[in-house]
């Protein structure tokens, strides 16, 4: 850890957010090679993963990515605002996407809060360092919006469990070592009460990962099948039968605080294309800026409330709606400025932007569709009949 000489310095950076932000800014301003590489547009997805993995390694080894996580699991202490400052500064220095490393902010808070302490202490540092990646195995071919109807089952055997079933749309499974699998441990009709979350090693016998190529040419999504895959009891995240609570904890982060991290990258994308915009598209640029301001304000509130110990809860549905809208309006503006953006070869100069544009068409689906967010707002916040 070349920048963090001595525990006194570490304590200052942990306890004083402005000192952390200033020191990190100075490190970024020195233009480390890993930052320069990750700030380039990278149309080949596997290359994007490799380059961002290198950046994660550097951020971990220099200590920056360890702030905001508890010392017991390999962090250096501090809170979520350290992480918020880190991701915002990375975007300011030209990083417009972190691919699967944004997933850290969706899964790791739940792993730390609910996972087996020994298991998380062993694995989280490798996640933070970009050596191992995680995926989220909730959706199934017959269970998306109605997640409580999922059929993947975990049967008790030899002191552990055997998992059998099929997951789909599993982001980054192709590149991941671990999958947080939601499986049924109760009877078939037990709905959300009979589910348990397991951390499954995707290298285990019985696991098959088949990449799904998306319309934008990337293989970010996958179908994952499990055929009597053995997992030990220490791989249960949360309680046996408590999988629904684990899933809701994850989804609250995916809908709430994640928007803060993601909107920084969207803002960066917008800035990078602003020079090439045509005046005819100015109204769309205005829409995109307003949408980003709305998601910034709402996710900032959620982030700070969460940093003070408040649960994210159903209000995160508002933030997810705003995030989806802003991702689409940023890209609507990009398309109006460059009508060739939507169609073209996978490896020309515009390929990375084209991938972002096409991806923006489906962002109102992941983490629960737009209609399901509206449903949550209607039932749980407005208490409509
Ligand atoms: C880019 C991307 C990444 C994803 N990553 C992951 C991942 O990593 N892990 C994972 O587990 N899943 C992932 N998903 C899957 C995602 O969670 C599901 O696609 C989503 O929950 C919708 O489920 P479905 O596709 O089965 O659609 P369905 O549930 O079949 O819905 C189809 C349509 O019907 C509407 N609908 C359904 N029920 C209702 C209702 N009660 N009221 C009103 N409208 C309704 C929906 O809004 C939608 O428009 C990802 C999806 C995308 C697009």
């Amino acid at each position: 850890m070349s920048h963090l000489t001595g525990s006194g310095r570490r304590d200052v950076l942990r306890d004083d957010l402005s000192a952390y932000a200033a020191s990190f800014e100075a490190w970024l301003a020195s233009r480390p090679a890993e930052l320069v590489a990750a700030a380039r547009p990278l149309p080949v997805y596997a290359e994007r993963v490799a380059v961002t993995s290198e950046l994660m390694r550097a951020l971990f080894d220099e200590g920056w990515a360890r702030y905001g996580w508890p010392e017991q699991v390999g962090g250096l202490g501090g809170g979520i605002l350290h992480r918020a400052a880190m991701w915002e500064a990375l975007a300011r220095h030209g990083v417009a996407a972190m691919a699967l490393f944004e997933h850290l902010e969706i899964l790791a808070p739940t792993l730390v809060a609910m996972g087996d302490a020994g298991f998380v202490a062993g694995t989280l540092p490798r996640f933070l360092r970009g050596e191992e990646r995680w995926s989220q195995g909730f959706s199934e071919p017959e269970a998306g919006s109605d997640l409580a109807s999922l059929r993947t089952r975990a049967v008790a055997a030899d002191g552990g469990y055997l998992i059998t079933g099929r997951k789909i749309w599993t982001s980054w499974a192709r590149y991941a070592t671990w999958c947080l699998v939601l499986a049924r441990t109760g009877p078939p009709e037990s709905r959300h009460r009979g589910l348990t979350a397991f951390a499954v090693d995707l290298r285990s016998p019985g696991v098959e990962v088949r990449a799904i190529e998306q319309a934008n040419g990337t293989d970010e999504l996958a179908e994952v099948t499990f055929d009597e895959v053995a997992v030990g009891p220490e791989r249960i995240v949360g309680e046996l039968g408590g999988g629904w609570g684990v899933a809701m904890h994850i989804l609250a982060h995916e809908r709430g605080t994640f928007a803060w991290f993601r909107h920084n990258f969207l803002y960066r994308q917008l800035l990078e294309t602003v020079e090439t915009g045509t005046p005819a598209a100015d109204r769309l640029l205005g829409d995109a800026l307003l949408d980003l301001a709305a998601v910034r304000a709402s996710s900032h509130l959620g982030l700070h409330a969460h940093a003070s110990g408040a649960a994210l809860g159903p209000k995160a549905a508002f933030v997810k709606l705003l995030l989806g809208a802003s991702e689409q309006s940023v890209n609507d503006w990009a398309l109006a400025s460059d009508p060739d953006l939507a169609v073209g070869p996978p490896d020309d100069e515009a390929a990375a932007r084209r991938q972002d544009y096409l991806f923006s068409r489906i962002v109102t689906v992941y983490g629960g569709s737009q209609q399901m967010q509206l449903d949550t707002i209607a039932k749980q916040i407005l208490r409509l009949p």
Side-chain angles (χ1 to χ4, degrees):
M1 254 193 280
S2 58
H3 279 73
L4 307 174
T5 45
S7 62
R9 176 87 179 127
R10 286 203 295 273
D11 290 350
V12 170
L13 298 184
R14 180 194 64 208
D15 298 337
D16 181 347
L17 194 57
S18 339
Y20 170 82
S23 302
F24 185 45
E25 185 66 32
W27 184 74
L28 293 169
S30 73
R31 309 297 296 159
E34 295 87 351
L35 172 72
V36 174
R40 288 196 331 260
L42 294 163
V44 179
Y45 201 72
E47 198 184 327
R48 205 189 286 191
V49 172
V51 165
T52 45
S53 299
E54 283 300 298
L55 178 59
M56 290 306 290
R57 185 187 52 70
L59 290 169
F60 184 92
D61 290 350
E62 294 288 340
W64 309 118
R66 295 175 64 194
Y67 289 98
W69 301 102
E71 291 183 19
Q72 307 85 290
V73 292
L76 291 173
I80 191 170
L81 297 181
H82 280 85
R83 282 145 44 204
M86 182 186 87
W87 294 107
E88 186 179 17
L90 284 171
R92 211 173 35 248
H93 281 266
V95 178
M98 283 296 284
L100 72 185
F101 288 108
E102 292 168 65
H103 217 195
L104 250 176
E105 295 298 342
I106 295 175
L107 290 180
T110 305
L111 287 173
V112 171
M114 299 182 168
D116 176 87
F119 173 68
V120 177
T123 49
L124 189 77
R126 295 199 291 272
F127 193 2
L128 292 178
R129 197 169 185 265
E131 291 167 48
E132 287 183 358
R133 299 137 203 154
W134 280 71
S135 55
Q136 179 199 110
F138 291 178
S139 306
E140 298 183 2
E142 305 293 325
S145 301
D146 184 16
L147 189 59
S149 67
L150 68 82
R151 292 192 204 155
T152 294
R153 62 184 193 282
V155 179
D158 298 331
Y161 294 84
L162 292 176
I163 297 184
T164 301
R166 185 166 160 223
K167 298 289 177 181
I168 197 157
W169 315 127
T170 318
S171 298
W172 303 299
R174 153 99 174 65
Y175 299 95
T177 308
W178 297 95
C179 186
L180 196 79
V181 174
L182 202 55
R184 188 163 302 285
T185 39
E189 67 284 0
S190 57
R191 299 278 300 167
H192 62 281
R193 290 178 303 280
L195 302 176
T196 302
F198 293 89
V200 180
D201 188 334
L202 291 174
R203 298 162 296 191
S204 311
V207 175
E208 192 180 345
V209 178
R210 281 188 297 276
I212 301 170
E213 194 180 325
Q214 291 170 235
N216 70 358
T218 68
D219 56 1
E220 175 187 323
L221 298 175
E223 179 176 13
V224 189
T225 48
F226 302 88
D227 183 8
E228 300 202 325
V229 176
V231 286
E234 78 289 356
R235 300 285 171 78
I236 291 181
V237 178
E239 302 289 322
L240 180 66
W244 191 253
V246 175
M248 292 307 113
H249 196 271
I250 288 171
L251 287 174
H253 281 90
E254 183 162 8
R255 296 168 183 169
T257 47
F258 175 70
W260 168 267
F261 301 98
R262 178 83 189 147
H263 101 282
N264 287 306
F265 295 131
L266 292 174
Y267 190 62
R268 181 72 216 178
Q269 268 179 31
L270 185 96
L271 285 184
E272 280 174 5
T273 42
V274 92
E275 304 262 306
T276 55
T278 60
D282 277 358
R283 191 184 58 77
L284 292 172
L285 175 59
D287 287 348
L289 285 167
L290 282 176
D291 283 345
L292 278 174
V295 79
R296 184 173 181 82
S298 61
S299 62
H300 190 262
L301 275 178
L303 189 72
H304 281 262
H306 186 57
S308 327
L312 291 166
K315 279 190 197 153
F318 277 121
V319 186
K320 177 68 171 60
L321 279 179
L322 293 171
L323 179 66
S326 63
E327 185 135 8
Q328 294 194 333
S329 60
V330 164
N331 283 282
D332 287 344
W333 175 76
L335 179 67
S337 307
D338 174 7
D340 294 334
L341 193 63
V343 194
D347 52 2
D348 68 351
E349 268 183 20
R353 289 291 302 119
R354 188 173 305 118
Q355 283 173 11
D356 291 338
Y357 171 76
L358 290 170
F359 184 78
S360 75
R361 302 303 97 181
I362 51 167
V363 293
T364 48
V365 177
Y366 77 81
S369 70
Q370 199 170 17
Q371 289 80 3
M372 298 316 289
Q373 308 305 333
L374 289 169
D375 197 60
T376 301
I377 292 167
K379 287 185 181 145
Q380 296 186 41
I381 299 177
L382 302 176
R383 306 275 172 207
L384 296 178

